[in-house]
Amino acid sequence: ETGVTQTPRHLVMGMTNKKSLKCEQHLGHNAMYWYKQSAKKPLELMFVYSLEERVENNSVPSRFSPECPNSSHLFLHLHTLQPEDSALYLCASSLHGTGLSTEAFFGQGTRLTVV
Amino acid sequence: QKEVEQNSGPLSVPEGAIASLNCTYSDRGSQSFFWYRQYSGKSPELIMSIYSNGDKEDGRFTAQLNKASQYVSLLIRDSQPSDSATYLCAVTDAGNMLTFGGGTRLMVKP
């Protein structure tokens, strides 16, 4: 248990559906990340929020929409996804600030299948 | 574009041997360095962090950092089959933004 909780753990959705992934941490961290990991591929950074402001968006398609209402919660809203979006979606959090960084802790991930 | 490079492997070592995993990074301003282990279908878990040049040992694991050459390595002594996983190198920049390498798959054969 890392202190970062993702729900749901598994999700199957049709291409016309709208769903949301949720991530929650109570570690006192001020940065949260969404990563995508497709089969046999490296981690792809999707979004970074620091102090609830989006600081990075790595050319992610608009069918993925993040939301960070406060420093403890992060959502990824999904709509009209494609089968190639099927992957493991990982949330992580860390402490940003001056000086040395603390490590990032990952949630267990949401295994998404788009049919 | 900040980059963190790792050989994807697989790196195959016999049980009991030393496994050596390497990582290079492009940003000279990088400050913090981490090694994560990821089993298939699971999320990455932190196994080592290192912040200054030299070696840092924790049990069978030793992290080595050389900022002048911009590389960080992980040595696993007395490798066990349970060490078989993908090892991810991660680096933070001066702004504490985290960048991951692609990972090296390690296979420890009994």
PDB file of all heavy atoms in Angstrom, chain A residues 6-26:
ATOM      1  N   GLN A   6      -6.167   4.235  -6.614  1.00  0.00           N
ATOM      2  CA  GLN A   6      -6.817   4.456  -7.902  1.00  0.00           C
ATOM      3  C   GLN A   6      -8.079   3.603  -7.987  1.00  0.00           C
ATOM      4  O   GLN A   6      -8.089   2.448  -7.578  1.00  0.00           O
ATOM      5  CB  GLN A   6      -5.900   4.066  -9.061  1.00  0.00           C
ATOM      6  CG  GLN A   6      -4.765   5.032  -9.293  1.00  0.00           C
ATOM      7  CD  GLN A   6      -3.965   4.699 -10.537  1.00  0.00           C
ATOM      8  OE1 GLN A   6      -2.792   4.353 -10.468  1.00  0.00           O
ATOM      9  NE2 GLN A   6      -4.619   4.790 -11.701  1.00  0.00           N
ATOM     10  N   THR A   7      -9.103   4.193  -8.552  1.00  0.00           N
ATOM     11  CA  THR A   7     -10.342   3.458  -8.829  1.00  0.00           C
ATOM     12  C   THR A   7     -10.884   3.866 -10.190  1.00  0.00           C
ATOM     13  O   THR A   7     -10.709   5.023 -10.608  1.00  0.00           O
ATOM     14  CB  THR A   7     -11.417   3.745  -7.756  1.00  0.00           C
ATOM     15  OG1 THR A   7     -11.611   5.163  -7.655  1.00  0.00           O
ATOM     16  CG2 THR A   7     -11.033   3.173  -6.408  1.00  0.00           C
ATOM     17  N   PRO A   8     -11.512   2.942 -10.906  1.00  0.00           N
ATOM     18  CA  PRO A   8     -11.583   1.520 -10.581  1.00  0.00           C
ATOM     19  C   PRO A   8     -10.264   0.821 -10.917  1.00  0.00           C
ATOM     20  O   PRO A   8      -9.394   1.405 -11.545  1.00  0.00           O
ATOM     21  CB  PRO A   8     -12.712   1.033 -11.500  1.00  0.00           C
ATOM     22  CG  PRO A   8     -12.596   1.922 -12.706  1.00  0.00           C
ATOM     23  CD  PRO A   8     -12.176   3.272 -12.173  1.00  0.00           C
ATOM     24  N   ARG A   9     -10.114  -0.414 -10.525  1.00  0.00           N
ATOM     25  CA  ARG A   9      -8.910  -1.176 -10.865  1.00  0.00           C
ATOM     26  C   ARG A   9      -8.986  -1.707 -12.294  1.00  0.00           C
ATOM     27  O   ARG A   9      -7.960  -1.851 -12.958  1.00  0.00           O
ATOM     28  CB  ARG A   9      -8.736  -2.331  -9.882  1.00  0.00           C
ATOM     29  CG  ARG A   9      -8.455  -1.891  -8.450  1.00  0.00           C
ATOM     30  CD  ARG A   9      -7.050  -1.288  -8.318  1.00  0.00           C
ATOM     31  NE  ARG A   9      -6.025  -2.209  -8.770  1.00  0.00           N
ATOM     32  CZ  ARG A   9      -5.501  -3.171  -8.024  1.00  0.00           C
ATOM     33  NH1 ARG A   9      -5.920  -3.338  -6.777  1.00  0.00           N
ATOM     34  NH2 ARG A   9      -4.570  -3.963  -8.515  1.00  0.00           N
ATOM     35  N   HIS A  10     -10.186  -2.008 -12.719  1.00  0.00           N
ATOM     36  CA  HIS A  10     -10.401  -2.514 -14.082  1.00  0.00           C
ATOM     37  C   HIS A  10     -11.602  -1.776 -14.666  1.00  0.00           C
ATOM     38  O   HIS A  10     -12.580  -1.509 -13.958  1.00  0.00           O
ATOM     39  CB  HIS A  10     -10.672  -4.021 -14.080  1.00  0.00           C
ATOM     40  CG  HIS A  10      -9.546  -4.825 -13.515  1.00  0.00           C
ATOM     41  ND1 HIS A  10      -8.469  -5.246 -14.263  1.00  0.00           N
ATOM     42  CD2 HIS A  10      -9.317  -5.272 -12.263  1.00  0.00           C
ATOM     43  CE1 HIS A  10      -7.633  -5.916 -13.500  1.00  0.00           C
ATOM     44  NE2 HIS A  10      -8.112  -5.950 -12.279  1.00  0.00           N
ATOM     45  N   LEU A  11     -11.529  -1.493 -15.964  1.00  0.00           N
ATOM     46  CA  LEU A  11     -12.624  -0.793 -16.622  1.00  0.00           C
ATOM     47  C   LEU A  11     -12.690  -1.248 -18.068  1.00  0.00           C
ATOM     48  O   LEU A  11     -11.695  -1.231 -18.776  1.00  0.00           O
ATOM     49  CB  LEU A  11     -12.413   0.719 -16.555  1.00  0.00           C
ATOM     50  CG  LEU A  11     -13.448   1.600 -17.254  1.00  0.00           C
ATOM     51  CD1 LEU A  11     -14.814   1.422 -16.610  1.00  0.00           C
ATOM     52  CD2 LEU A  11     -13.034   3.073 -17.197  1.00  0.00           C
ATOM     53  N   VAL A  12     -13.892  -1.668 -18.468  1.00  0.00           N
ATOM     54  CA  VAL A  12     -14.147  -1.986 -19.873  1.00  0.00           C
ATOM     55  C   VAL A  12     -15.185  -0.982 -20.357  1.00  0.00           C
ATOM     56  O   VAL A  12     -16.228  -0.805 -19.729  1.00  0.00           O
ATOM     57  CB  VAL A  12     -14.672  -3.427 -20.043  1.00  0.00           C
ATOM     58  CG1 VAL A  12     -14.960  -3.712 -21.514  1.00  0.00           C
ATOM     59  CG2 VAL A  12     -13.679  -4.433 -19.486  1.00  0.00           C
ATOM     60  N   MET A  13     -14.887  -0.299 -21.433  1.00  0.00           N
ATOM     61  CA  MET A  13     -15.823   0.697 -21.935  1.00  0.00           C
ATOM     62  C   MET A  13     -15.898   0.656 -23.452  1.00  0.00           C
ATOM     63  O   MET A  13     -14.931   0.295 -24.132  1.00  0.00           O
ATOM     64  CB  MET A  13     -15.451   2.098 -21.465  1.00  0.00           C
ATOM     65  CG  MET A  13     -14.093   2.601 -21.880  1.00  0.00           C
ATOM     66  SD  MET A  13     -13.684   4.205 -21.123  1.00  0.00           S
ATOM     67  CE  MET A  13     -14.788   5.309 -22.017  1.00  0.00           C
ATOM     68  N   GLY A  14     -17.084   1.010 -23.955  1.00  0.00           N
ATOM     69  CA  GLY A  14     -17.269   1.108 -25.384  1.00  0.00           C
ATOM     70  C   GLY A  14     -16.741   2.425 -25.902  1.00  0.00           C
ATOM     71  O   GLY A  14     -16.474   3.358 -25.132  1.00  0.00           O
ATOM     72  N   MET A  15     -16.570   2.501 -27.191  1.00  0.00           N
ATOM     73  CA  MET A  15     -15.971   3.694 -27.793  1.00  0.00           C
ATOM     74  C   MET A  15     -16.861   4.929 -27.664  1.00  0.00           C
ATOM     75  O   MET A  15     -16.369   6.051 -27.775  1.00  0.00           O
ATOM     76  CB  MET A  15     -15.632   3.418 -29.258  1.00  0.00           C
ATOM     77  CG  MET A  15     -14.451   2.476 -29.419  1.00  0.00           C
ATOM     78  SD  MET A  15     -13.874   2.343 -31.119  1.00  0.00           S
ATOM     79  CE  MET A  15     -15.141   1.283 -31.798  1.00  0.00           C
ATOM     80  N   THR A  16     -18.148   4.739 -27.386  1.00  0.00           N
ATOM     81  CA  THR A  16     -19.029   5.894 -27.266  1.00  0.00           C
ATOM     82  C   THR A  16     -19.288   6.292 -25.812  1.00  0.00           C
ATOM     83  O   THR A  16     -20.002   7.250 -25.540  1.00  0.00           O
ATOM     84  CB  THR A  16     -20.376   5.614 -27.942  1.00  0.00           C
ATOM     85  OG1 THR A  16     -20.955   4.451 -27.332  1.00  0.00           O
ATOM     86  CG2 THR A  16     -20.180   5.367 -29.432  1.00  0.00           C
ATOM     87  N   ASN A  17     -18.719   5.524 -24.894  1.00  0.00           N
ATOM     88  CA  ASN A  17     -18.959   5.791 -23.474  1.00  0.00           C
ATOM     89  C   ASN A  17     -18.164   6.986 -22.955  1.00  0.00           C
ATOM     90  O   ASN A  17     -17.181   7.418 -23.569  1.00  0.00           O
ATOM     91  CB  ASN A  17     -18.573   4.563 -22.627  1.00  0.00           C
ATOM     92  CG  ASN A  17     -19.485   3.386 -22.835  1.00  0.00           C
ATOM     93  OD1 ASN A  17     -19.114   2.255 -22.564  1.00  0.00           O
ATOM     94  ND2 ASN A  17     -20.699   3.626 -23.296  1.00  0.00           N
ATOM     95  N   LYS A  18     -18.615   7.475 -21.804  1.00  0.00           N
ATOM     96  CA  LYS A  18     -17.845   8.450 -21.039  1.00  0.00           C
ATOM     97  C   LYS A  18     -17.607   7.861 -19.649  1.00  0.00           C
ATOM     98  O   LYS A  18     -18.573   7.431 -18.998  1.00  0.00           O
ATOM     99  CB  LYS A  18     -18.608   9.767 -20.890  1.00  0.00           C
ATOM    100  CG  LYS A  18     -18.744  10.586 -22.143  1.00  0.00           C
ATOM    101  CD  LYS A  18     -19.418  11.911 -21.836  1.00  0.00           C
ATOM    102  CE  LYS A  18     -19.562  12.764 -23.085  1.00  0.00           C
ATOM    103  NZ  LYS A  18     -20.212  14.064 -22.781  1.00  0.00           N
ATOM    104  N   LYS A  19     -16.371   7.859 -19.232  1.00  0.00           N
ATOM    105  CA  LYS A  19     -16.034   7.344 -17.911  1.00  0.00           C
ATOM    106  C   LYS A  19     -14.942   8.217 -17.309  1.00  0.00           C
ATOM    107  O   LYS A  19     -14.308   9.022 -17.997  1.00  0.00           O
ATOM    108  CB  LYS A  19     -15.521   5.901 -18.003  1.00  0.00           C
ATOM    109  CG  LYS A  19     -16.534   4.884 -18.512  1.00  0.00           C
ATOM    110  CD  LYS A  19     -17.581   4.574 -17.468  1.00  0.00           C
ATOM    111  CE  LYS A  19     -18.518   3.473 -17.989  1.00  0.00           C
ATOM    112  NZ  LYS A  19     -19.614   3.193 -17.014  1.00  0.00           N
ATOM    113  N   SER A  20     -14.725   8.027 -16.014  1.00  0.00           N
ATOM    114  CA  SER A  20     -13.660   8.772 -15.335  1.00  0.00           C
ATOM    115  C   SER A  20     -12.830   7.844 -14.465  1.00  0.00           C
ATOM    116  O   SER A  20     -13.374   6.950 -13.809  1.00  0.00           O
ATOM    117  CB  SER A  20     -14.256   9.881 -14.471  1.00  0.00           C
ATOM    118  OG  SER A  20     -14.910  10.848 -15.253  1.00  0.00           O
ATOM    119  N   LEU A  21     -11.542   8.092 -14.461  1.00  0.00           N
ATOM    120  CA  LEU A  21     -10.628   7.416 -13.540  1.00  0.00           C
ATOM    121  C   LEU A  21     -10.342   8.369 -12.392  1.00  0.00           C
ATOM    122  O   LEU A  21     -10.201   9.574 -12.592  1.00  0.00           O
ATOM    123  CB  LEU A  21      -9.325   7.043 -14.246  1.00  0.00           C
ATOM    124  CG  LEU A  21      -9.420   6.313 -15.576  1.00  0.00           C
ATOM    125  CD1 LEU A  21      -8.015   5.925 -16.055  1.00  0.00           C
ATOM    126  CD2 LEU A  21     -10.312   5.105 -15.477  1.00  0.00           C
ATOM    127  N   LYS A  22     -10.214   7.768 -11.206  1.00  0.00           N
ATOM    128  CA  LYS A  22      -9.988   8.586 -10.025  1.00  0.00           C
ATOM    129  C   LYS A  22      -8.702   8.183  -9.333  1.00  0.00           C
ATOM    130  O   LYS A  22      -8.354   7.000  -9.262  1.00  0.00           O
ATOM    131  CB  LYS A  22     -11.156   8.424  -9.051  1.00  0.00           C
ATOM    132  CG  LYS A  22     -11.028   9.226  -7.765  1.00  0.00           C
ATOM    133  CD  LYS A  22     -12.204   8.970  -6.846  1.00  0.00           C
ATOM    134  CE  LYS A  22     -12.046   9.686  -5.508  1.00  0.00           C
ATOM    135  NZ  LYS A  22     -13.172   9.406  -4.590  1.00  0.00           N
ATOM    136  N   CYS A  23      -8.010   9.172  -8.810  1.00  0.00           N
ATOM    137  CA  CYS A  23      -6.789   8.945  -8.043  1.00  0.00           C
ATOM    138  C   CYS A  23      -6.847   9.816  -6.794  1.00  0.00           C
ATOM    139  O   CYS A  23      -7.243  10.984  -6.854  1.00  0.00           O
ATOM    140  CB  CYS A  23      -5.570   9.307  -8.876  1.00  0.00           C
ATOM    141  SG  CYS A  23      -3.991   9.111  -8.004  1.00  0.00           S
ATOM    142  N   GLU A  24      -6.432   9.234  -5.685  1.00  0.00           N
ATOM    143  CA  GLU A  24      -6.502   9.939  -4.411  1.00  0.00           C
ATOM    144  C   GLU A  24      -5.248   9.665  -3.602  1.00  0.00           C
ATOM    145  O   GLU A  24      -4.774   8.533  -3.531  1.00  0.00           O
ATOM    146  CB  GLU A  24      -7.736   9.455  -3.647  1.00  0.00           C
ATOM    147  CG  GLU A  24      -8.035  10.176  -2.357  1.00  0.00           C
ATOM    148  CD  GLU A  24      -9.366   9.743  -1.761  1.00  0.00           C
ATOM    149  OE1 GLU A  24     -10.106   8.978  -2.411  1.00  0.00           O
ATOM    150  OE2 GLU A  24      -9.659  10.177  -0.637  1.00  0.00           O
ATOM    151  N   GLN A  25      -4.670  10.712  -3.025  1.00  0.00           N
ATOM    152  CA  GLN A  25      -3.523  10.518  -2.134  1.00  0.00           C
ATOM    153  C   GLN A  25      -3.664  11.429  -0.924  1.00  0.00           C
ATOM    154  O   GLN A  25      -4.128  12.569  -1.041  1.00  0.00           O
ATOM    155  CB  GLN A  25      -2.200  10.796  -2.865  1.00  0.00           C
ATOM    156  CG  GLN A  25      -2.030  12.171  -3.457  1.00  0.00           C
ATOM    157  CD  GLN A  25      -1.387  13.177  -2.519  1.00  0.00           C
ATOM    158  OE1 GLN A  25      -0.857  12.828  -1.461  1.00  0.00           O
ATOM    159  NE2 GLN A  25      -1.416  14.448  -2.903  1.00  0.00           N
ATOM    160  N   HIS A  26      -3.245  10.905   0.203  1.00  0.00           N
ATOM    161  CA  HIS A  26      -3.253  11.689   1.454  1.00  0.00           C
ATOM    162  C   HIS A  26      -1.867  11.637   2.070  1.00  0.00           C
ATOM    163  O   HIS A  26      -1.713  11.414   3.274  1.00  0.00           O
ATOM    164  CB  HIS A  26      -4.336  11.147   2.389  1.00  0.00           C
ATOM    165  CG  HIS A  26      -5.720  11.304   1.832  1.00  0.00           C
ATOM    166  ND1 HIS A  26      -6.349  12.519   1.749  1.00  0.00           N
ATOM    167  CD2 HIS A  26      -6.569  10.408   1.285  1.00  0.00           C
ATOM    168  CE1 HIS A  26      -7.541  12.366   1.194  1.00  0.00           C
ATOM    169  NE2 HIS A  26      -7.697  11.097   0.897  1.00  0.00           N
TER     170      HIS A  26
END
